[in-house]
Amino acid sequence: MRNIISYRKSLLFALLTLLPFAQASAANEATGYAVLGGTLLFAVLFVVMVLHMGYVLFKGKSYKQEFTADYFREKRRLKIETLTAAKEKAEQDAQDPKNAGKEQPVIVIPETDPTDEEVEQCYALLEEAFDCWTVISGAGEEELRTPTKMKQIRKSKKALDKVIDLCPYEETVINRLNELCHIINVSEERSFNGSKMLIWISVIVGVVGAFLSKSWEFPTFLASGLVLYWVASRTPQFLIEKRAERGGGNIFSGLIGGAFAAVATAKTYKTVTKWSDGTTTTDYDNSETWISIVIAVVICVVLACLLYFWAMLNYLRNYVFYF
């Protein structure tokens, strides 16, 4: 009996001893799953970001041609033919007993030439597209407007697309349409608006890192980050102008420039000591310069290593929220 009790105590002691290790193992396993899940989520977001930027850049201009009366005549003719064929098919389907009781679509075939109502609608849509933009002219001057927000551009494009779908023939309408479409294209045109200094610093850090590590892993990491940063920093023109009006400078150029300015302005202290025998010794203290150099190098390396973060930040600013 005593042996049984002793065995149970030993077993209980062993279980209590192993319990913390089991809990630690479970915690480590949960942490591992969390890290894996976070990594997969980041990878998915990264792929979505790259695909979205590629789509936006590949799509190019919203309006890739200049509209003419001949273009709209041909477009209206094809539209009438398509709708006529669709209406005939709908009428045939309506006569089919299988479709008895089903609601058939109502297809309206436009006139060969635009009606007065359609022309008036075109004028109203053009005014709607223009009026939603921001006024940039001064008081008492001719009213000038330009899009300064992406929601304004999207609203204008909806109105302009409706005008295009109406296929107007009047030269006044077509000229105004082309003018507004050109402004939209110019406003959406993208160019690099990131920090060129950050790119050069990253290249230097990558080259030095490759030389010191004798490996291409770190330079490859920086190179891919540079490409991503360059693409993410391609900013639409309306946003570049908006930021210029706000007076916002580039924070990276300011940080890097400030760091090297501190190196350039660092002081060297000269100490001259005269001894009793008439001799003198001179000591130079360059500690301030070396400290400034170390700080500048650390700032440059940190900024270069965070290229993916800066790229994601610029992606959100230039492709999603437009601020």
Side-chain angles (χ1 to χ4, degrees):
M1 186 67 178
R2 291 180 179 177
N3 292 335
I4 295 175
I5 294 174
S6 177
Y7 172 76
R8 290 180 177 176
K9 288 182 178 180
S10 300
L11 181 61
L12 179 61
F13 177 77
L15 291 175
L16 292 176
T17 303
L18 294 175
L19 182 60
F21 294 99
Q23 291 176 342
S25 177
N28 292 335
E29 186 177 359
T31 303
Y33 284 131
V35 172
L36 178 61
T39 303
L40 291 176
L41 178 61
F42 177 80
V44 171
L45 293 177
F46 179 80
V47 172
V48 170
M49 179 179 71
V50 172
L51 292 177
H52 181 213
M53 291 191 298
Y55 167 75
V56 172
L57 296 178
F58 179 78
K59 183 183 67 172
K61 296 180 180 180
S62 295
Y63 302 100
K64 297 178 173 59
Q65 67 179 65
E66 186 171 342
F67 300 104
T68 62
D70 292 336
Y71 168 83
F72 284 126
R73 287 191 181 94
E74 180 64 16
K75 181 179 176 67
R76 180 176 282 267
R77 184 185 67 80
L78 294 175
K79 183 178 180 181
I80 291 174
E81 290 180 357
T82 302
L83 292 177
T84 301
K87 187 174 183 179
E88 291 176 355
K89 186 177 184 305
E91 291 175 351
Q92 293 176 359
D93 293 341
Q95 296 175 359
D96 191 340
K98 296 180 181 179
N99 297 323
K102 292 184 179 180
E103 184 178 355
Q104 298 298 324
V106 178
I107 300 176
V108 179
I109 300 177
E111 300 291 336
T112 305
D113 294 327
T115 62
D116 294 339
E117 182 181 353
E118 288 177 334
V119 174
E120 292 178 1
Q121 188 177 357
C122 287
Y123 278 112
L125 289 170
L126 291 174
E127 286 301 314
E128 178 184 340
F130 179 74
D131 289 342
C132 71
W133 296 351
T134 303
V135 178
I136 59 174
S137 56
E141 299 177 353
E142 180 184 358
E143 184 178 83
L144 299 176
R145 293 174 179 263
T146 189
T148 58
K149 299 178 181 179
M150 180 52 71
K151 65 179 181 181
Q152 295 176 347
I153 291 179
R154 289 170 179 163
K155 185 176 180 179
S156 297
K157 287 166 67 173
K158 288 182 180 179
L160 296 178
D161 290 343
K162 291 179 181 178
V163 175
I164 295 171
D165 189 60
L166 288 171
C167 302
Y169 292 172
E170 287 196 13
E171 290 297 328
T172 306
V173 175
I174 296 174
N175 291 338
R176 183 60 170 168
L177 173 64
N178 285 325
E179 180 183 353
L180 297 182
C181 289
H182 175 71
I183 295 175
I184 292 293
N185 284 339
V186 172
S187 298
E188 287 186 320
E189 186 176 358
R190 292 178 178 268
S191 57
F192 179 77
N193 193 43
S195 173
K196 294 181 181 179
M197 187 175 293
L198 177 61
I199 290 180
W200 281 111
I201 289 297
S202 300
V203 171
I204 294 173
V205 170
V207 172
V208 174
F211 178 77
L212 295 177
S213 63
K214 308 295 183 182
S215 172
W216 287 101
E217 293 180 0
F218 182 66
T220 302
F221 170 80
L222 285 184
S224 57
L226 277 174
V227 173
L228 191 65
Y229 175 77
W230 181 82
V231 176
S233 299
R234 294 187 64 81
T235 310
Q237 184 61 33
F238 80 90
L239 195 54
I240 294 176
E241 295 175 357
K242 185 176 180 180
R243 290 173 183 170
E245 290 179 0
R246 289 201 305 252
N250 195 295
I251 186 173
F252 303 117
S253 299
L255 282 174
I256 298 172
F260 284 102
V263 174
T265 58
K267 298 179 180 179
T268 299
Y269 295 95
K270 177 181 178 182
T271 303
V272 179
T273 305
K274 292 184 179 181
W275 302 97
S276 57
D277 59 357
T279 60
T280 60
T281 57
T282 304
D283 295 324
Y284 294 92
D285 183 4
N286 297 314
S287 58
E288 184 175 333
T289 301
W290 286 110
I291 292 174
S292 300
I293 291 175
V294 171
I295 293 175
V297 170
V298 170
I299 290 176
C300 292
V301 172
V302 170
L303 290 178
C305 292
L306 292 177
L307 270 176
Y308 285 90
F309 175 77
W310 308 133
M312 184 169 292
L313 180 62
N314 280 358
Y315 164 73
L316 294 175
R317 297 182 67 201
N318 299 328
Y319 289 83
V320 181
F321 299 112
Y322 298 97
F323 63 89

